Amino acid sequence: MGNITLLKKQILETSIYSYNQGLFAGTSGNLSAYDGESNLVVITPTSIRYDEMTLEDIVVIDLEGNIVEGKHKPSSEWQMHCEIYKVKDNVYSVVHTHSPYATAFAVNRKSIPLILIEMIPFLGGEVPVAEIALPGTKELGLNALKVLDDKNACLLSNHGVLAIGETVDQAHIRAEYVEDSAKIYHYALNAGEIHLIPKDIENKMRNNK
Ligand SMILES: [Zn+2]
């Protein structure tokens, strides 16, 4: 369970950091990490404030949601996290936020187009919008999978942000870049005309990876 202990620490530290950054409000948002060896998921608990969360509050579940370790219930969005791990190879962490600028575009149901160079390496391009689904259901994850394709993040209609990565740090930084892109897009829309990154620049950047 060595990996699990390490993942629990990473989940706790990243949760508190994300809360302090304003990516989460109250008890909203949730984070998880998947251990490919044991097929277990380390996930934030439901309804515990991030500023009071300790290592003992982090929950370990299997892919069907059975609690393996922990005294709390897992995040109410555990099904969304597990659906992603079941389908996506090379995804070992899922970060779900309700960060304000990005969530505003999720309410507009407007994707964030390719406006910043960082969006290519970090997000895989534009940030698409997944169809609306009931919170706490499998469908939330399945709808996200439909638009994620080769992308690293998407918006969840009227709800928030989903970012995936090979590590907790990677998924977290991608969630940060979704919020950053949304914020800049918001200001740019208010200031005037939007110019997207031209296709030839995008292609060159993608080939230079
Ligand atoms: Zn949510």
Side-chain angles (χ1 to χ4, degrees), residues 62-78:
D62 64 18
L63 285 170
E64 307 312 316
N66 300 301
I67 298 174
V68 176
E69 209 181 299
K71 53 185 180 183
H72 302 292
K73 282 188 183 162
S75 157
S76 60
E77 296 298 3
W78 67 268

Side-chain angles (χ1 to χ4, degrees), residues 10 14 28 70 81 88 112 138 176 195-196:
Q10 287 180 356
T14 311
S28 72
H81 291 249
K88 284 265 181 201
I112 305 167
K138 236 185 198 184
E176 276 185 299
H195 297 277
L196 302 185

Side-chain angles (χ1 to χ4, degrees), residues 32 40 47-48 58 66 72 84 88 104 114 136 157 161 163 166 177 182-184 201:
S32 74
L40 295 177
S47 310
I48 306 269
I58 308 294
N66 300 301
H72 302 292
I84 307 258
K88 284 265 181 201
L114 190 52
S157 285
V161 175
E166 289 180 31
Y177 272 108
K183 194 176 193 176
I184 292 167
I201 303 273

Side-chain angles (χ1 to χ4, degrees), residues 57-132:
D57 294 322
I58 308 294
V59 187
V60 182
I61 58 172
D62 64 18
L63 285 170
E64 307 312 316
N66 300 301
I67 298 174
V68 176
E69 209 181 299
K71 53 185 180 183
H72 302 292
K73 282 188 183 162
S75 157
S76 60
E77 296 298 3
W78 67 268
Q79 291 196 81
M80 170 178 75
H81 291 249
C82 290
E83 287 312 304
I84 307 258
Y85 295 130
K86 284 181 194 168
V87 172
K88 284 265 181 201
D89 292 333
N90 295 325
V91 171
Y92 296 96
S93 182
V94 173
V95 172
H96 166 54
T97 76
H98 295 182
S99 62
Y101 284 90
T103 304
F105 285 111
V107 171
N108 295 140
R109 300 200 191 157
K110 204 170 164 35
S111 60
I112 305 167
L114 190 52
I115 50 161
L116 296 172
I117 51 167
E118 293 89 353
M119 292 175 76
I120 297 170
F122 286 99
L123 305 179
E126 70 159 23
V127 184
V129 190
E131 241 180 83
I132 191 159

Side-chain angles (χ1 to χ4, degrees), residues 136-209:
T137 62
K138 236 185 198 184
E139 282 64 41
L140 200 57
L142 295 174
N143 288 357
L145 283 164
K146 282 184 204 155
V147 297
L148 275 171
D149 197 19
D150 57 346
K151 304 291 192 307
N152 302 326
C154 69
L155 303 178
L156 306 171
S157 285
N158 301 82
H159 186 159
V161 175
L162 182 84
I164 55 177
E166 289 180 31
T167 62
V168 177
D169 280 349
Q170 195 179 49
H172 170 260
I173 201 168
R174 287 170 174 174
E176 276 185 299
Y177 272 108
V178 172
E179 182 62 2
D180 187 58
S181 307
K183 194 176 193 176
I184 292 167
Y185 186 42
H186 167 86
Y187 287 129
L189 278 172
N190 283 325
E193 203 184 339
I194 298 288
H195 297 277
L196 302 185
I197 294 183
K199 210 67 195 158
D200 61 318
I201 303 273
E202 179 189 347
N203 290 340
K204 277 181 192 154
M205 282 190 69
R206 286 185 187 277
N207 294 335
N208 278 343
K209 267 199 288 193

